[in-house]
Amino acid sequence: MAAHIRRRLRKGATTTAVAAAAVAALAASQAPAATLADGPAGGGDPKAAGEDTASTEDDGAATGNSPYYTDLPPLVTPDKPGSSSNLPVTGSAEAGIPASILAAYKQAEQTVATTDPACRLPWQLLAAIGKVESGQARGGRVDANGTASPRILGPALNGQGFALIKDTDGGAYDGDAVHDRAVGPMQFIPSTWASWGQDANGDGRKDPNNIYDAALAAGRYLCANDRDLAIAADLDKAVLSYNRSNEYLRTVRSWFSYYQRGTHEIPDGTGTLPTTPSTPSPNPGPSTNPGPSTTPSPKPSPDKPGGKPSPGPSKPGDGSTSPKPKPPTSKPTPAETFGSLENVGTGPLRATAGQAFDERVAVLARNALGAPLGKVSVTFTVTGNTGTLFSGGKKTVTVRTGADGTATAPELRAGEKAGEFTVTAVAGTGRPRTLTYAATVTARQADTIARTDEKALVAAPGEKFADAVTVKATYKDAAAAGVAVTATMVKDPLGLFDNDKGPYFKDAAGKPVRTLTTLTTDAEGMLRLPEIFADGTEGTYLLRLTTEGGASVVIELTVQAPEETAPEGTTPEETAPKETETPEA
C-alpha cells in the first residue's frame, strides 16, 4: 500500500522532497494519497500538471491565497466507488454534507450545465473546495435562506504571513476598510466577488455569505478560460486559480476523490468542522497574490563543484560587477498614501425614464492610516444601455476629493430606456480601488388616465366611429409625458378576456387588430387613438386603456344601425305603407 501511495505521489510531483512531505502528511491522517493530473477527474486524455502548474495561470487567486483547512478525508470511504447517485439518508458527520450546502452545490452544477455545458462542472469539486475553505460553511451553520450566520471572514490580508491586499470594497463585504479579507463559505476576496458574484437564490442580492450565491460564483469561476473540468489538467488549473498552492491542490483533490466515492446529506448545523488550518507563509512582500517561485536557483560553477557560481566578466573600467548604489528616493508617508475607497451613504439609485436621480454617488478616500485623504482623483463611469448620463451629457467624469476625503459625482439623468445599469468609481494608480453601484431606470408612469370628453361613441355596422377617442394621462396630478399605453378590445371591465369580434383598429397593412401596444402620450400627457371601425355585429362593446404604472380606463363603444327618418315636409303617417283595398266582386 505504501509503495502504491508513493508511486501515485511521484506522478504529481517533480521533487522527491515534495513527495516525501506529502507521504508524511498522509500517513499522519491515514488518508489516501491524491494524485494531481491523473486523478479521477473524468474522461479524456489527462495532461500532466507538475509542480510548476501554478505558473500557467495569471497571479490572481479567488481567495487571495488566504488560509484554508488542511485536514484530509478519512481512509475509509463512505461507500463504494460510483455510488454518489444513490446517497444514503444518514451517516457519519465526517462523510456527510449539510442539507442546504449540498443543495447549493447541486443547484450550481445544474445551472452551469445549462449555461456552460462544455465545462462539465461536478458538484463534488465544489464540495471539496467548500470543505477545505470553510468546513462546509462551518458544518452547515446557515439560516433558512442559506446565508452563513454569523458571516465567515478570513484574516486580514495585511502582508503579515499572508498576501498584502489593501481594501478594494470599502469594507462593504468584509467590514474591513484597510485590508481585504476572504468572505463567505467559498472564501472569495471582495475584488474577485465584484467580478464573479452571483444571485443564485433570486433575492436580488449577490451575497458572498450565501451558499447558493457563493457556490454558483465558484462554479463559474472554476469554468473560466474555457476549461473542461473532466480533463485532469484543466481541473488542476481551476483549483490552483482558487488558491495558488500545490498543497492546496492536493488537499482539494483528496476531498474531491472522497466525495466522488460517496457522501450523504446531514441536517444543517451538524457537520464536522475541520481543525487544522494551513500555516501562514513568510511575508511575501509587495506581491498581492504570490505563487510558487519560477526563478531557477544558481547552478554550481563547473570548475568549483558544489561551490558558488563563478562571477561573470568584470565590468570594464572599475573591475567590479556590483551595481552602483542609487541615491535614496523619498517615499510618501502613510498619511499621504492612498489606502482605500468607501461608499458614503449612497442610497438606492432609481429614477423614472427622462427624470433626474434623487441620489448622487458619493465616495470617501482614506489614506494608509485610515484617515480621510484629500486631492484624490476619482473617476465615475456609467455603464449600460439605458441612455443614462451625468449632467452635461457625459458618461465619464473625474472629481477630486475635498479636504474631508469625499467626492460626489454630478447628478445623473435617466435615459428613455427602462432597465439596469452600473456606476463605477475608480481611484488610485498601480492597484486602483473600485466601487460599483447598481442603478435602475423605470418606465415613465401614470397613476390616472381618463377621456377628455364624455360624448357617446356610436357607429353603424361596417362603418367607422366618427368621433376620435382622446385621453389624458397624469402622474401625481401632473401631465405624464411619454407614458406607454395599451389599448385592448375586451369583454369585461377588468380586461380579463379579450374580444375577438366587434370594433377594431387597423394595422399598417390595413388588417383588423384589437390590441395596440405602441401608443405613447405626448408632451402634454395627451393621446389620440387611431380610427376605430365597426364590424357587422351590433351591440355594446368595451375598450380598455392601461398605462405603465397601473392606471386604466374603460370606454364604451356602441354598434347599431341608424334609425329611419321621414323625408322633409312629410309626417310619419304619410310615409307609412298603406293597405290596398280589394274591389268588391
Side-chain angles (χ1 to χ4, degrees):
M1 178 65 181
H4 176 60
I5 292 176
R6 285 194 294 273
R7 283 197 300 271
R8 295 179 67 193
L9 282 169
R10 281 197 292 272
K11 293 180 181 180
T14 58
T15 66
T16 56
V18 172
V23 170
L26 294 171
S29 66
Q30 292 187 337
T35 59
L36 295 180
D38 64 344
D45 186 15
K47 306 172 186 176
E51 279 297 314
D52 61 347
T53 304
S55 65
T56 64
E57 300 276 333
D58 59 31
D59 287 336
T63 64
N65 299 314
S66 58
Y68 56 91
Y69 290 108
T70 60
D71 298 37
L72 290 171
L75 182 60
V76 179
T77 57
D79 207 340
K80 62 183 180 180
S83 65
S84 293
S85 59
N86 299 308
L87 303 180
V89 176
T90 59
S92 71
E94 181 64 34
I97 298 177
S100 294
I101 314 304
L102 183 60
Y105 295 151
K106 291 186 175 182
Q107 177 178 298
E109 178 191 60
Q110 293 171 358
T111 301
V112 172
T114 301
T115 59
D116 187 7
C119 175
R120 296 193 280 184
L121 169 73
W123 66 260
Q124 292 92 342
L125 179 59
L126 296 175
I129 291 176
K131 179 73 172 181
V132 171
E133 290 294 345
S134 67
Q136 310 297 20
R138 296 199 194 99
R141 287 163 178 80
V142 295
D143 63 18
N145 296 319
T147 302
S149 180
R151 62 181 179 174
I152 302 172
L153 294 175
L157 299 175
N158 56 10
Q160 304 301 312
F162 312 113
L164 173 61
I165 305 181
K166 293 184 178 179
D167 176 71
T168 61
D169 67 330
Y173 293 121
D174 56 13
D176 191 331
V178 180
H179 297 97
D180 272 350
R181 299 169 180 258
V183 183
M186 304 305 281
Q187 289 289 279
F188 279 96
I189 55 173
S191 58
T192 306
W193 185 259
S195 299
W196 292 91
Q198 303 290 317
D199 176 17
N201 63 350
D203 64 355
R205 300 177 59 226
K206 298 177 181 179
D207 184 0
N209 275 292
N210 181 274
I211 185 59
Y212 292 95
D213 293 358
L216 181 57
R220 289 186 167 152
Y221 182 89
L222 293 167
C223 289
N225 301 323
D226 298 322
R227 296 188 186 106
D228 180 353
L229 300 182
I231 297 175
D234 276 8
L235 187 142
D236 288 349
K237 290 177 182 179
V239 175
L240 286 169
S241 75
Y242 217 88
N243 189 310
R244 301 188 60 75
S245 160
N246 283 297
E247 182 59 34
Y248 177 86
L249 172 60
R250 278 188 285 273
T251 307
V252 169
R253 273 291 207 164
S254 295
W255 282 105
F256 177 48
S257 298
Y258 183 76
Y259 288 137
Q260 279 187 314
R261 287 191 290 270
T263 185
H264 55 271
E265 178 185 300
I266 59 175
D268 287 348
T270 63
T272 300
L273 188 66
T275 58
T276 311
S278 61
T279 303
S281 57
N283 187 344
S287 172
T288 59
N289 289 304
S293 173
T294 57
T295 305
S297 301
K299 295 182 179 180
S301 170
D303 57 340
K304 295 181 180 179
K308 295 181 179 180
S310 300
S314 298
K315 183 177 178 181
D318 62 2
S320 171
T321 60
S322 301
K324 294 283 186 181
K326 296 180 180 180
T329 57
S330 59
K331 295 184 178 180
T333 65
E336 302 170 324
T337 303
F338 175 53
S340 64
L341 192 67
E342 302 175 17
N343 179 20
V344 186
T346 303
L349 296 172
R350 301 191 186 95
T352 302
Q355 303 299 312
F357 282 76
D358 293 333
E359 286 284 333
R360 293 171 64 181
V361 178
V363 298
L364 169 65
R366 295 186 184 274
N367 62 22
L369 299 175
L373 181 63
K375 298 182 180 181
V376 175
S377 293
V378 182
T379 299
F380 299 93
T381 303
V382 174
T383 303
N385 60 356
T386 64
T388 300
L389 299 170
F390 291 112
S391 58
K394 297 180 178 180
K395 295 189 71 170
T396 300
V397 294
T398 299
V399 181
R400 300 189 77 181
T401 59
D404 61 353
T406 63
T408 302
E411 181 183 69
L412 281 167
R413 181 161 290 274
E416 290 299 331
K417 184 177 180 181
E420 296 182 349
F421 68 96
T422 59
V423 179
T424 56
V426 181
T429 57
R431 287 198 73 251
R433 313 297 191 267
T434 301
L435 294 177
T436 302
Y437 302 81
T440 304
V441 176
T442 57
R444 293 175 183 265
Q445 297 184 358
D447 52 21
T448 303
I449 184 171
R451 285 189 67 190
T452 57
D453 62 64
E454 297 181 358
K455 190 174 182 179
L457 299 168
V458 181
E463 301 294 331
K464 70 179 179 180
F465 287 78
D467 297 305
V469 176
T470 303
V471 295
K472 182 175 182 178
T474 58
Y475 182 69
K476 295 182 178 179
D477 298 326
V483 174
V485 179
T486 299
T488 306
M489 301 296 176
V490 295
K491 292 181 179 180
D492 61 296
L494 295 178
L496 299 178
F497 302 97
D498 294 352
N499 209 336
D500 58 357
K501 61 179 63 177
Y504 59 89
F505 303 102
K506 287 184 178 180
D507 63 13
K511 296 181 179 179
V513 293
R514 290 185 168 84
T515 297
L516 295 178
T517 59
T518 57
L519 306 173
T520 306
T521 60
D522 63 15
E524 302 300 323
M526 305 290 288
L527 172 65
R528 181 186 176 95
L529 294 184
E531 291 181 322
I532 303 175
F533 300 85
D535 63 8
T537 307
E538 293 189 54
T540 300
Y541 299 91
L542 301 178
L543 167 63
R544 189 170 193 264
L545 304 179
T546 57
T547 71
E548 191 74 42
S552 67
V553 62
V554 177
I555 300 169
E556 189 173 279
L557 304 172
T558 302
V559 179
Q560 67 179 25
E563 295 180 1
E564 294 185 8
T565 58
E568 190 173 339
T570 63
T571 64
E573 290 78 7
E574 293 175 322
T575 59
K578 297 180 179 180
E579 294 183 1
T580 302
E581 294 183 2
T582 304
E584 294 181 3

